Amino acid sequence: MSERRRRYDEDDVRVRPNPRGSRPRTKERPAHADAVPALVVVVDRGRSTCLVEPGTDRERTVTAMRARELGRTGVVVGDRVGLVGDTSGRTDTLARIVRIDERRTVLRRTADDTDPVERVVVANADQLVVVTAVADPEPRARMVDRCLVAAYVAGMRPLLCLTKGDLRPAEEVLRTWAPLGLDAVVTSRGPDGELLGLDDVRERLRGRTSVLVGHSGVGKSTLVNALVPDAGRATGHVNAVTGRGRHTSTSMAALALPDGQGWVVDTPGVRSFGLAHVDPEAVLSAFPDLLPGEEGCPRGCTHDEPDCALDAWVAEGRAGAAGPARLESFRRLLAARRGEERDDERERHRGREREQ
Ligand code: ZN
């Protein structure tokens, strides 16, 4: 263990078993009322890069480690935390995260073949932007569906961002998701190669924290770089802080949009969502028009079985004219949730081949 690491350990607050039991623990474990609020923008192997007083002239980047008293709770990008110790942000200083604020939203993915642990991907994001090209590569409907399920159960607003709109009419692609009433934006290349449609994208991002997901080749990085002109510099800075020599595009990072217009979280490592943790009720709750129909369902209905009452509910017109198409979309999302990891795995390999 390095000298520096040991020094930090000595500074660490330790929670020891209290032999007298009833004595207040305040002496050993301060309440950290003076902890400095911060936003976690990068997490890299146990070290978090945090922004303190973002958007002010006192804004600074502070590297921090999770205090032991937090137990096994992990820190993720988007977490609002409390820091103690050296929060100056000076080189070679390290603060401690002693508090993780309650999360407003939690974007998760289930364990899959490559990662045996269910993980929180991002905390406190408002919107999941599913970036997909209208062509080259062809849109992957199932991947989009899986992202939508992840957004719905996380309590996040889904936004479909179709890129390369100059290659094919976006309406053709949007038809698949029309019953879901998704908000969508389209970007394309202008005659001089310039990216068009950015203003629409900016409008949807304003005032929100948006997570961008998308497979390789869809133009997600191009989009991020256009939205956050100093994205490269920002992540480069982050790498300088954490002192890791890794390629910047492999780290998930929260990037501030110019002029305090919101945040985007780029997710280079996330290519699919394992959704085994998602139960049908959570998906159904994203369909308020169908929701009352489940009253007639048998106990534990999967909503995808012959006895499901939703079919009758829709057939009676009680979910409105769009009911049948909505039910179909709901069932498609349920199907996307189940046992489709293998396809995703194949897509991952294909993506890798393309990158090489
Ligand atoms: Zn049912």
Side-chain angles (χ1 to χ4, degrees):
M1 192 180 283
S2 75
E3 180 62 33
R4 205 171 89 186
R5 174 71 185 278
R6 221 173 329 132
R7 202 172 68 232
Y8 293 127
D9 280 354
E10 281 158 15
D11 288 346
D12 238 350
V13 176
R14 289 178 190 168
V15 184
R16 297 187 186 87
N18 186 344
R20 287 204 221 151
S22 62
R23 206 181 65 193
R25 300 163 86 190
T26 43
K27 262 188 187 164
E28 289 178 316
R29 186 181 174 182
H32 300 308
D34 55 344
V36 176
L39 170 70
V40 176
V41 292
V42 173
V43 178
D44 187 4
R45 284 180 265 180
R47 288 197 179 197
S48 302
T49 304
C50 307
L51 272 190
V52 176
E53 300 185 64
T56 71
D57 53 4
R58 288 172 51 81
E59 176 180 308
R60 56 201 186 272
T61 306
V62 177
T63 306
M65 288 183 81
R66 200 171 51 90
R68 287 180 192 166
E69 62 200 80
L70 289 179
R72 299 182 70 84
T73 313
V75 176
V76 298
V77 170
D79 263 330
R80 302 271 168 180
V81 297
L83 301 178
V84 300
D86 193 333
T87 58
S88 65
R90 280 190 293 267
T91 315
D92 284 334
T93 61
L94 194 61
R96 278 181 298 120
I97 298 174
V98 291
R99 189 189 70 228
I100 303 172
D101 292 354
E102 200 183 324
R103 293 164 174 162
R104 271 189 309 112
T105 64
V106 175
L107 180 64
R108 294 173 196 277
R109 66 170 165 185
T110 308
D112 60 28
D113 294 348
T114 56
D115 183 353
V117 185
E118 178 179 320
R119 290 182 190 281
V120 175
V121 182
V122 181
N124 300 319
D126 311 293
Q127 182 166 253
L128 186 67
V129 184
V130 187
V131 185
T132 191
V134 297
D136 187 31
E138 282 298 298
R140 294 165 180 173
R142 190 176 291 141
M143 180 264 178
V144 174
D145 283 345
R146 294 175 69 82
C147 291
L148 295 179
V149 172
Y152 287 140
V153 300
M156 292 164 66
R157 175 188 193 269
L159 172 69
L160 208 49
C161 180
L162 298 182
T163 58
K164 310 190 186 184
D166 45 307
L167 298 183
R168 177 186 173 189
E171 293 71 33
E172 287 177 16
V173 176
L174 286 172
R175 216 170 285 148
T176 310
W177 294 282
L180 296 175
L182 289 182
D183 192 12
V185 285
V186 182
T187 64
S188 55
R189 287 286 181 192
D192 301 319
E194 72 275 27
L195 199 56
L196 305 175
L198 274 181
D199 286 345
D200 285 347
V201 179
R202 286 197 188 97
E203 194 187 306
R204 303 314 201 285
L205 300 183
R206 192 176 302 138
R208 297 185 164 119
T209 297
S210 305
V211 179
L212 271 62
V213 289
H215 281 255
S216 57
V218 299
K220 180 165 66 74
S221 303
T222 308
L223 192 62
V224 170
N225 285 317
L227 292 166
V228 189
D230 56 352
R233 193 179 59 84
T235 49
H237 177 59
V238 159
N239 267 22
V241 169
T242 54
R244 316 275 181 196
R246 294 165 71 194
H247 191 262
T248 52
S249 69
T250 61
S251 302
M252 192 181 303
L255 304 164
L257 291 165
D259 306 319
Q261 295 287 292
W263 294 84
V264 292
V265 180
D266 194 12
T267 57
V270 179
R271 292 192 175 172
S272 70
F273 288 95
L275 299 170
H277 64 285
V278 172
D279 82 278
E281 294 308 303
V283 185
L284 185 61
S285 61
F287 292 77
D289 48 335
L290 302 178
L291 198 52
E294 73 160 341
E295 231 168 76
C297 287
R299 188 187 290 262
C301 184
T302 59
H303 303 312
D304 208 2
E305 55 191 63
D307 288 344
C308 181
L310 292 175
D311 298 273
W313 176 265
V314 163
E316 287 163 18
R318 301 183 72 180
R326 296 266 297 162
L327 181 57
E328 200 187 315
S329 291
F330 166 62
R331 294 243 166 92
R332 200 185 67 217
L333 293 190
L334 283 184
R337 181 188 52 108
R338 289 187 308 254
E340 246 79 338
E341 272 79 8
R342 282 212 190 114
D343 288 322
D344 280 336
E345 190 62 26
R346 268 203 296 276
E347 288 186 353
R348 251 202 299 272
H349 287 306
R350 250 183 263 150
R352 233 175 258 144
E353 280 160 20
R354 243 201 312 279
E355 277 163 18
Q356 283 161 0

